[in-house]
Amino acid sequence: MSIDALRSWLASRSGWEKAVLATWGAILLFVCVRVILSPTSKTVYPIFSASGRFWWTGTELYEPFRPTDVQDGYRYSPTCAILFPPFAFFRDSVGGALWRLFSTATLLASLAWFARSVLAISWSSKQFAWLLLLVIPLSIQSVNNGQANIVVIASMLGAVASVKEERWNLVSVLIALAFICKLYPLALGMILILLYPRQLGWRIATACLASLLFPFLCQHPNYVTDQYEKWFDLLRAEDRTKHMYRDAWHLIELYGAPVSRKAYLILQLASGAGIAALCWQRQRAGWSSPALLTSTLALTMAWTMLLGPATESSSFALLAPSFAWSIVEALQTKTRGARHGLLWGSCALFAIAVIVGGIVMEWKIHETGVHAWASLCYFAYLVIEPRASAVQEMQVADSRRAAAE
């Protein structure tokens, strides 16, 4: 594209679209410059890049066997390590910047796909610009520190969009991609199997199994088997109750509620089953495909943040797209009531967590459980959602009308 063509394209953009370009451009420029100047500060990328190099040299991936001269903390599957050599080929300063550009591009592209396919938002819509701006607060930390959460939620957005388009093989591949990065995104895959058993049951199972077997094609079988054994040992031995996670267990500890870990585990499993049953019931009640898929993604991610296996501050990138859309939807419908009070309360709490927690570190705002309370409010907002939102039904009707014309 020539300079004149680029100028003409920029001049034709709306004010909101220019705001999106300027904001995301400034964020990526700042983050990439910071990474290039200080590649080992406030980042987890060296964990991934070192693991990518270790894989191809047959070096130990997991503690306590992992070399001590690199950043520790690798808890991902052996398959995940295979994905990083394209970035690990470069020095961490350059590779870290490329990784952030790549992961952000996947997020924005999948969000655009999700918006057009599931939400029926056109490229020129002000709603889409709002969506891209509102997704920033909960995702910026993962972009900054190089977390894999960005690629994980991008995969899940793409999976849900693929369901809407009935591209079942692609759904399975994208769920498997999220699964090899983090185990708990499989929860979304399991609910999608419940909703579309014939189309996705065997496909998702096959894709996830293939993702686990793929490392045997890329290294000596003895090395791969040994790494899997050490990965399983690490997962079994890890005591996550000693970490300051931002979930419901933190609230239980904070307020001294008489709930044991065993009872909490039962609560996690029961609530997960309840979310699956609620999504199934909504499908049987005749919810439109856009409304059903939007609520399914949002409920699964909200459950993951509130009652999942481990929720850190950067984990909320997984909730960012659904939460941003809920805000856009509420602003468009201009609905007021107790239910939307939960949403605005969640917004206020997340704003405190992001702004105060990111600027005034000595206040230790995270220890007050602000993230967990925000997740709880949003979770309740989603659970009591009526049959279908006015905005979604209006968008579906507009889309059908435009297609007929």
Side-chain angles (χ1 to χ4, degrees):
M1 181 182 292
S2 65
I3 298 298
D4 290 339
L6 179 60
R7 288 175 178 172
S8 177
W9 180 82
L10 288 174
S12 65
R13 299 301 93 190
S14 68
W16 284 108
E17 289 173 320
K18 291 176 181 177
V20 169
L21 291 171
T23 304
W24 272 107
I27 290 172
L28 291 175
L29 178 62
F30 172 81
V31 170
C32 288
V33 170
R34 184 191 69 78
V35 169
I36 291 173
L37 295 178
S38 183
T40 60
S41 174
K42 298 180 181 179
T43 179
V44 298
Y45 173 77
I47 300 175
F48 301 131
S49 60
S51 299
R53 300 183 191 106
F54 289 164
W55 172 262
W56 296 107
T57 59
T59 307
E60 298 285 355
L61 297 173
Y62 304 101
E63 286 83 17
F65 312 98
R66 183 183 178 92
T68 58
D69 59 343
V70 297
Q71 190 170 342
D72 61 4
Y74 187 76
R75 298 178 178 86
Y76 305 89
S77 69
T79 311
C80 189
I82 302 175
L83 304 180
F84 278 92
F87 303 98
F89 174 79
F90 301 95
R91 293 178 300 172
D92 281 355
S93 57
V94 177
L98 292 175
W99 164 245
R100 287 163 172 84
L101 290 174
F102 168 78
S103 58
T104 302
T106 63
L107 172 63
L108 299 181
S110 63
L111 194 54
W113 182 14
F114 180 82
R116 288 192 298 171
S117 181
V118 181
L119 304 179
I121 297 177
S122 66
W123 277 97
S124 60
S125 173
K126 180 170 66 174
Q127 290 175 310
F128 182 55
W130 288 359
L131 190 64
L132 292 183
L133 289 172
L134 289 170
V135 82
I136 291 174
L138 293 184
S139 60
I140 190 171
Q141 184 173 350
S142 283
V143 172
N144 184 48
N145 63 20
Q147 285 275 0
N149 295 317
I150 300 299
V151 173
V152 170
I153 187 56
S155 299
M156 289 192 283
L157 285 168
V160 174
S162 298
V163 170
K164 179 64 172 60
E165 298 175 3
E166 299 185 357
R167 301 167 67 178
W168 308 114
N169 290 333
L170 184 55
V171 174
S172 304
V173 170
L174 291 172
I175 289 293
L177 177 59
F179 167 68
I180 63 176
C181 294
K182 305 266 189 176
L183 295 180
Y184 48 78
L186 189 58
L188 176 63
M190 295 171 68
I191 294 180
L192 291 177
I193 289 174
L194 177 66
L195 299 179
Y196 307 94
R198 181 177 59 82
Q199 299 91 335
L200 292 176
W202 67 271
R203 284 185 170 92
I204 289 180
T206 301
C208 290
L209 178 61
S211 73
L212 294 175
L213 295 177
F214 180 67
F216 288 95
L217 301 177
C218 305
Q219 256 292 1
H220 194 282
N222 290 340
Y223 170 73
V224 178
T225 302
D226 181 60
Q227 294 310 298
Y228 267 118
E229 290 177 353
K230 289 171 180 174
W231 181 44
F232 295 149
D233 289 341
L234 179 68
L235 295 178
R236 283 195 297 265
E238 191 173 35
D239 185 2
R240 292 180 175 267
T241 64
K242 297 179 180 179
H243 293 78
M244 188 65 70
Y245 288 116
R246 325 297 189 196
D247 54 14
W249 181 251
H250 178 45
L251 295 180
I252 290 172
E253 289 190 318
L254 187 65
Y255 297 105
V259 179
S260 66
R261 283 300 300 184
K262 183 177 180 179
Y264 183 68
L265 177 60
I266 294 173
L267 174 63
Q268 289 177 297
L269 296 175
S271 60
I275 291 303
L278 178 60
C279 294
W280 182 83
Q281 187 275 330
R282 288 176 174 180
Q283 184 188 50
R284 293 300 180 272
W287 280 39
S288 66
S289 180
L292 176 65
L293 292 174
T294 303
S295 68
T296 296
L297 176 64
L299 278 167
T300 306
M301 293 301 96
W303 173 85
T304 301
M305 295 300 98
L306 183 64
L307 291 159
T311 302
E312 301 172 320
S313 296
S314 57
S315 302
F316 287 90
L318 301 175
L319 191 64
S322 296
F323 191 66
W325 171 244
S326 293
I327 296 173
V328 172
E329 184 183 52
L331 291 173
Q332 287 296 111
T333 59
K334 298 180 181 179
T335 304
R336 300 293 181 268
R339 177 173 175 264
H340 281 81
L342 291 170
L343 177 63
W344 302 128
S346 183
C347 286
L349 291 168
F350 274 131
I352 293 172
V354 173
I355 297 173
V356 178
I359 296 176
V360 191
M361 300 297 293
E362 59 270 18
W363 285 9
K364 298 181 179 180
I365 191 69
H366 303 307
E367 296 182 9
T368 65
V370 62
H371 277 104
W373 279 115
S375 297
L376 181 60
C377 289
Y378 185 54
F379 186 72
Y381 168 82
L382 294 171
V383 168
I384 60 178
E385 183 179 2
R387 171 164 175 157
S389 68
V391 169
Q392 287 173 322
E393 295 294 354
M394 179 180 64
Q395 288 171 341
V396 172
D398 290 344
S399 178
R400 289 174 179 171
R401 187 162 46 249
E405 294 174 355

mmCIF file of all heavy atoms in Angstrom, residues 255-286:
data_model
loop_
_atom_site.group_PDB
_atom_site.id
_atom_site.type_symbol
_atom_site.label_atom_id
_atom_site.label_comp_id
_atom_site.label_asym_id
_atom_site.label_seq_id
_atom_site.Cartn_x
_atom_site.Cartn_y
_atom_site.Cartn_z
ATOM 1 N N TYR A 255 -12.237 -13.974 54.449
ATOM 2 C CA TYR A 255 -13.306 -13.754 55.422
ATOM 3 C C TYR A 255 -13.481 -14.911 56.393
ATOM 4 O O TYR A 255 -14.420 -14.908 57.212
ATOM 5 C CB TYR A 255 -14.618 -13.472 54.689
ATOM 6 C CG TYR A 255 -14.567 -12.211 53.864
ATOM 7 C CD1 TYR A 255 -14.451 -12.269 52.483
ATOM 8 C CD2 TYR A 255 -14.589 -10.957 54.472
ATOM 9 C CE1 TYR A 255 -14.382 -11.114 51.712
ATOM 10 C CE2 TYR A 255 -14.520 -9.791 53.723
ATOM 11 C CZ TYR A 255 -14.416 -9.880 52.341
ATOM 12 O OH TYR A 255 -14.338 -8.733 51.597
ATOM 13 N N GLY A 256 -12.605 -15.902 56.306
ATOM 14 C CA GLY A 256 -12.640 -17.007 57.254
ATOM 15 C C GLY A 256 -13.876 -17.864 57.164
ATOM 16 O O GLY A 256 -14.356 -18.388 58.181
ATOM 17 N N ALA A 257 -14.426 -18.038 55.977
ATOM 18 C CA ALA A 257 -15.613 -18.874 55.810
ATOM 19 C C ALA A 257 -15.274 -20.332 56.120
ATOM 20 O O ALA A 257 -14.207 -20.821 55.749
ATOM 21 C CB ALA A 257 -16.144 -18.751 54.378
ATOM 22 N N PRO A 258 -16.158 -21.042 56.800
ATOM 23 C CA PRO A 258 -15.883 -22.440 57.193
ATOM 24 C C PRO A 258 -16.068 -23.402 56.020
ATOM 25 O O PRO A 258 -16.991 -24.232 56.005
ATOM 26 C CB PRO A 258 -16.908 -22.689 58.293
ATOM 27 C CG PRO A 258 -18.063 -21.816 57.925
ATOM 28 C CD PRO A 258 -17.463 -20.571 57.314
ATOM 29 N N VAL A 259 -15.192 -23.308 55.042
ATOM 30 C CA VAL A 259 -15.254 -24.164 53.848
ATOM 31 C C VAL A 259 -13.915 -24.872 53.699
ATOM 32 O O VAL A 259 -12.872 -24.213 53.599
ATOM 33 C CB VAL A 259 -15.566 -23.339 52.581
ATOM 34 C CG1 VAL A 259 -15.603 -24.252 51.357
ATOM 35 C CG2 VAL A 259 -16.897 -22.602 52.737
ATOM 36 N N SER A 260 -13.936 -26.188 53.677
ATOM 37 C CA SER A 260 -12.701 -26.954 53.507
ATOM 38 C C SER A 260 -12.327 -27.012 52.035
ATOM 39 O O SER A 260 -13.142 -26.716 51.149
ATOM 40 C CB SER A 260 -12.893 -28.374 54.040
ATOM 41 O OG SER A 260 -13.834 -29.082 53.248
ATOM 42 N N ARG A 261 -11.096 -27.438 51.763
ATOM 43 C CA ARG A 261 -10.664 -27.581 50.377
ATOM 44 C C ARG A 261 -11.479 -28.650 49.661
ATOM 45 O O ARG A 261 -11.783 -28.513 48.472
ATOM 46 C CB ARG A 261 -9.177 -27.938 50.326
ATOM 47 C CG ARG A 261 -8.236 -26.778 50.568
ATOM 48 C CD ARG A 261 -8.395 -25.659 49.563
ATOM 49 N NE ARG A 261 -8.159 -26.056 48.186
ATOM 50 C CZ ARG A 261 -8.177 -25.213 47.144
ATOM 51 N NH1 ARG A 261 -8.437 -23.934 47.339
ATOM 52 N NH2 ARG A 261 -7.956 -25.651 45.930
ATOM 53 N N LYS A 262 -11.854 -29.708 50.383
ATOM 54 C CA LYS A 262 -12.655 -30.750 49.756
ATOM 55 C C LYS A 262 -14.028 -30.208 49.379
ATOM 56 O O LYS A 262 -14.538 -30.472 48.281
ATOM 57 C CB LYS A 262 -12.796 -31.935 50.709
ATOM 58 C CG LYS A 262 -13.557 -33.110 50.106
ATOM 59 C CD LYS A 262 -13.602 -34.287 51.070
ATOM 60 C CE LYS A 262 -14.362 -35.463 50.458
ATOM 61 N NZ LYS A 262 -14.406 -36.627 51.379
ATOM 62 N N ALA A 263 -14.633 -29.432 50.279
ATOM 63 C CA ALA A 263 -15.937 -28.839 49.989
ATOM 64 C C ALA A 263 -15.828 -27.847 48.837
ATOM 65 O O ALA A 263 -16.741 -27.754 47.997
ATOM 66 C CB ALA A 263 -16.490 -28.152 51.237
ATOM 67 N N TYR A 264 -14.714 -27.116 48.791
ATOM 68 C CA TYR A 264 -14.520 -26.151 47.709
ATOM 69 C C TYR A 264 -14.383 -26.868 46.369
ATOM 70 O O TYR A 264 -14.897 -26.399 45.349
ATOM 71 C CB TYR A 264 -13.289 -25.295 47.989
ATOM 72 C CG TYR A 264 -13.056 -24.211 46.959
ATOM 73 C CD1 TYR A 264 -13.936 -23.138 46.839
ATOM 74 C CD2 TYR A 264 -11.959 -24.257 46.107
ATOM 75 C CE1 TYR A 264 -13.729 -22.142 45.903
ATOM 76 C CE2 TYR A 264 -11.741 -23.266 45.167
ATOM 77 C CZ TYR A 264 -12.625 -22.212 45.069
ATOM 78 O OH TYR A 264 -12.417 -21.230 44.132
ATOM 79 N N LEU A 265 -13.675 -28.001 46.370
ATOM 80 C CA LEU A 265 -13.542 -28.789 45.144
ATOM 81 C C LEU A 265 -14.903 -29.269 44.658
ATOM 82 O O LEU A 265 -15.198 -29.215 43.450
ATOM 83 C CB LEU A 265 -12.618 -29.981 45.383
ATOM 84 C CG LEU A 265 -12.433 -30.957 44.203
ATOM 85 C CD1 LEU A 265 -11.853 -30.233 42.997
ATOM 86 C CD2 LEU A 265 -11.553 -32.128 44.611
ATOM 87 N N ILE A 266 -15.742 -29.697 45.601
ATOM 88 C CA ILE A 266 -17.096 -30.106 45.236
ATOM 89 C C ILE A 266 -17.875 -28.927 44.655
ATOM 90 O O ILE A 266 -18.617 -29.067 43.668
ATOM 91 C CB ILE A 266 -17.826 -30.688 46.463
ATOM 92 C CG1 ILE A 266 -17.150 -31.992 46.905
ATOM 93 C CG2 ILE A 266 -19.306 -30.925 46.156
ATOM 94 C CD1 ILE A 266 -17.692 -32.551 48.209
ATOM 95 N N LEU A 267 -17.694 -27.742 45.257
ATOM 96 C CA LEU A 267 -18.342 -26.532 44.740
ATOM 97 C C LEU A 267 -17.876 -26.224 43.327
ATOM 98 O O LEU A 267 -18.685 -25.864 42.451
ATOM 99 C CB LEU A 267 -18.041 -25.351 45.665
ATOM 100 C CG LEU A 267 -18.523 -23.969 45.190
ATOM 101 C CD1 LEU A 267 -20.033 -23.940 45.080
ATOM 102 C CD2 LEU A 267 -18.024 -22.878 46.134
ATOM 103 N N GLN A 268 -16.578 -26.346 43.062
ATOM 104 C CA GLN A 268 -16.046 -26.099 41.724
ATOM 105 C C GLN A 268 -16.677 -27.032 40.697
ATOM 106 O O GLN A 268 -17.121 -26.592 39.627
ATOM 107 C CB GLN A 268 -14.527 -26.283 41.729
ATOM 108 C CG GLN A 268 -13.757 -25.195 42.460
ATOM 109 C CD GLN A 268 -12.267 -25.475 42.481
ATOM 110 O OE1 GLN A 268 -11.825 -26.474 43.054
ATOM 111 N NE2 GLN A 268 -11.497 -24.620 41.841
ATOM 112 N N LEU A 269 -16.707 -28.329 41.029
ATOM 113 C CA LEU A 269 -17.242 -29.311 40.098
ATOM 114 C C LEU A 269 -18.750 -29.139 39.904
ATOM 115 O O LEU A 269 -19.258 -29.202 38.773
ATOM 116 C CB LEU A 269 -16.926 -30.722 40.599
ATOM 117 C CG LEU A 269 -15.446 -31.098 40.674
ATOM 118 C CD1 LEU A 269 -15.279 -32.475 41.298
ATOM 119 C CD2 LEU A 269 -14.802 -31.056 39.300
ATOM 120 N N ALA A 270 -19.455 -28.894 41.001
ATOM 121 C CA ALA A 270 -20.904 -28.749 40.917
ATOM 122 C C ALA A 270 -21.289 -27.499 40.133
ATOM 123 O O ALA A 270 -22.226 -27.519 39.319
ATOM 124 C CB ALA A 270 -21.504 -28.691 42.324
ATOM 125 N N SER A 271 -20.571 -26.408 40.365
ATOM 126 C CA SER A 271 -20.879 -25.176 39.634
ATOM 127 C C SER A 271 -20.545 -25.320 38.152
ATOM 128 O O SER A 271 -21.272 -24.805 37.290
ATOM 129 C CB SER A 271 -20.124 -23.994 40.239
ATOM 130 O OG SER A 271 -18.719 -24.205 40.179
ATOM 131 N N GLY A 272 -19.459 -26.028 37.851
ATOM 132 C CA GLY A 272 -19.119 -26.275 36.451
ATOM 133 C C GLY A 272 -20.195 -27.088 35.760
ATOM 134 O O GLY A 272 -20.599 -26.775 34.619
ATOM 135 N N ALA A 273 -20.683 -28.123 36.442
ATOM 136 C CA ALA A 273 -21.775 -28.925 35.893
ATOM 137 C C ALA A 273 -23.042 -28.090 35.752
ATOM 138 O O ALA A 273 -23.803 -28.233 34.783
ATOM 139 C CB ALA A 273 -22.032 -30.131 36.786
ATOM 140 N N GLY A 274 -23.251 -27.186 36.697
ATOM 141 C CA GLY A 274 -24.416 -26.320 36.630
ATOM 142 C C GLY A 274 -24.374 -25.380 35.442
ATOM 143 O O GLY A 274 -25.397 -25.140 34.784
ATOM 144 N N ILE A 275 -23.195 -24.845 35.146
ATOM 145 C CA ILE A 275 -23.039 -23.971 33.980
ATOM 146 C C ILE A 275 -23.314 -24.744 32.701
ATOM 147 O O ILE A 275 -23.995 -24.252 31.787
ATOM 148 C CB ILE A 275 -21.623 -23.365 33.961
ATOM 149 C CG1 ILE A 275 -21.457 -22.382 35.112
ATOM 150 C CG2 ILE A 275 -21.341 -22.672 32.626
ATOM 151 C CD1 ILE A 275 -22.462 -21.257 35.136
ATOM 152 N N ALA A 276 -22.795 -25.965 32.618
ATOM 153 C CA ALA A 276 -23.053 -26.799 31.443
ATOM 154 C C ALA A 276 -24.551 -27.056 31.282
ATOM 155 O O ALA A 276 -25.101 -26.972 30.173
ATOM 156 C CB ALA A 276 -22.289 -28.112 31.553
ATOM 157 N N ALA A 277 -25.219 -27.372 32.402
ATOM 158 C CA ALA A 277 -26.660 -27.631 32.358
ATOM 159 C C ALA A 277 -27.438 -26.381 31.954
ATOM 160 O O ALA A 277 -28.426 -26.462 31.202
ATOM 161 C CB ALA A 277 -27.140 -28.127 33.721
ATOM 162 N N LEU A 278 -27.000 -25.216 32.434
ATOM 163 C CA LEU A 278 -27.673 -23.969 32.086
ATOM 164 C C LEU A 278 -27.546 -23.684 30.595
ATOM 165 O O LEU A 278 -28.521 -23.283 29.936
ATOM 166 C CB LEU A 278 -27.086 -22.814 32.899
ATOM 167 C CG LEU A 278 -27.662 -21.419 32.620
ATOM 168 C CD1 LEU A 278 -29.161 -21.386 32.898
ATOM 169 C CD2 LEU A 278 -26.943 -20.368 33.460
ATOM 170 N N CYS A 279 -26.353 -23.887 30.026
ATOM 171 C CA CYS A 279 -26.163 -23.680 28.586
ATOM 172 C C CYS A 279 -27.026 -24.644 27.788
ATOM 173 O O CYS A 279 -27.642 -24.259 26.776
ATOM 174 C CB CYS A 279 -24.687 -23.866 28.221
ATOM 175 S SG CYS A 279 -23.583 -22.618 28.916
ATOM 176 N N TRP A 280 -27.101 -25.893 28.233
ATOM 177 C CA TRP A 280 -27.928 -26.905 27.557
ATOM 178 C C TRP A 280 -29.401 -26.513 27.627
ATOM 179 O O TRP A 280 -30.140 -26.630 26.646
ATOM 180 C CB TRP A 280 -27.695 -28.263 28.213
ATOM 181 C CG TRP A 280 -28.456 -29.385 27.584
ATOM 182 C CD1 TRP A 280 -28.117 -30.118 26.478
ATOM 183 C CD2 TRP A 280 -29.718 -29.904 28.040
ATOM 184 N NE1 TRP A 280 -29.072 -31.067 26.228
ATOM 185 C CE2 TRP A 280 -30.077 -30.954 27.167
ATOM 186 C CE3 TRP A 280 -30.572 -29.598 29.111
ATOM 187 C CZ2 TRP A 280 -31.243 -31.698 27.324
ATOM 188 C CZ3 TRP A 280 -31.735 -30.322 29.261
ATOM 189 C CH2 TRP A 280 -32.064 -31.361 28.373
ATOM 190 N N GLN A 281 -29.830 -26.037 28.796
ATOM 191 C CA GLN A 281 -31.228 -25.639 28.958
ATOM 192 C C GLN A 281 -31.559 -24.447 28.054
ATOM 193 O O GLN A 281 -32.646 -24.381 27.478
ATOM 194 C CB GLN A 281 -31.483 -25.282 30.431
ATOM 195 C CG GLN A 281 -32.946 -25.008 30.767
ATOM 196 C CD GLN A 281 -33.354 -23.565 30.494
ATOM 197 O OE1 GLN A 281 -32.531 -22.657 30.587
ATOM 198 N NE2 GLN A 281 -34.626 -23.364 30.163
ATOM 199 N N ARG A 282 -30.628 -23.522 27.937
ATOM 200 C CA ARG A 282 -30.861 -22.362 27.075
ATOM 201 C C ARG A 282 -30.979 -22.785 25.610
ATOM 202 O O ARG A 282 -31.783 -22.228 24.863
ATOM 203 C CB ARG A 282 -29.733 -21.340 27.260
ATOM 204 C CG ARG A 282 -29.809 -20.615 28.601
ATOM 205 C CD ARG A 282 -28.644 -19.667 28.820
ATOM 206 N NE ARG A 282 -28.839 -18.893 30.043
ATOM 207 C CZ ARG A 282 -27.980 -17.978 30.494
ATOM 208 N NH1 ARG A 282 -26.841 -17.746 29.842
ATOM 209 N NH2 ARG A 282 -28.252 -17.312 31.614
ATOM 210 N N GLN A 283 -30.183 -23.759 25.216
ATOM 211 C CA GLN A 283 -30.297 -24.267 23.855
ATOM 212 C C GLN A 283 -31.669 -24.898 23.643
ATOM 213 O O GLN A 283 -32.322 -24.655 22.619
ATOM 214 C CB GLN A 283 -29.199 -25.285 23.577
ATOM 215 C CG GLN A 283 -29.195 -25.802 22.139
ATOM 216 C CD GLN A 283 -28.218 -26.946 21.955
ATOM 217 O OE1 GLN A 283 -28.214 -27.907 22.724
ATOM 218 N NE2 GLN A 283 -27.351 -26.840 20.944
ATOM 219 N N ARG A 284 -32.120 -25.703 24.609
ATOM 220 C CA ARG A 284 -33.423 -26.359 24.483
ATOM 221 C C ARG A 284 -34.567 -25.349 24.551
ATOM 222 O O ARG A 284 -35.644 -25.601 24.001
ATOM 223 C CB ARG A 284 -33.596 -27.400 25.607
ATOM 224 C CG ARG A 284 -32.638 -28.579 25.501
ATOM 225 C CD ARG A 284 -32.843 -29.327 24.185
ATOM 226 N NE ARG A 284 -31.937 -30.464 24.047
ATOM 227 C CZ ARG A 284 -30.718 -30.397 23.536
ATOM 228 N NH1 ARG A 284 -30.243 -29.239 23.114
ATOM 229 N NH2 ARG A 284 -29.981 -31.485 23.422
ATOM 230 N N ALA A 285 -34.352 -24.229 25.204
ATOM 231 C CA ALA A 285 -35.389 -23.198 25.306
ATOM 232 C C ALA A 285 -35.506 -22.369 24.035
ATOM 233 O O ALA A 285 -36.373 -21.507 23.941
ATOM 234 C CB ALA A 285 -35.106 -22.289 26.492
ATOM 235 N N GLY A 286 -34.646 -22.619 23.072
ATOM 236 C CA GLY A 286 -34.757 -21.940 21.788
ATOM 237 C C GLY A 286 -33.983 -20.646 21.662
ATOM 238 O O GLY A 286 -34.320 -19.812 20.813
#
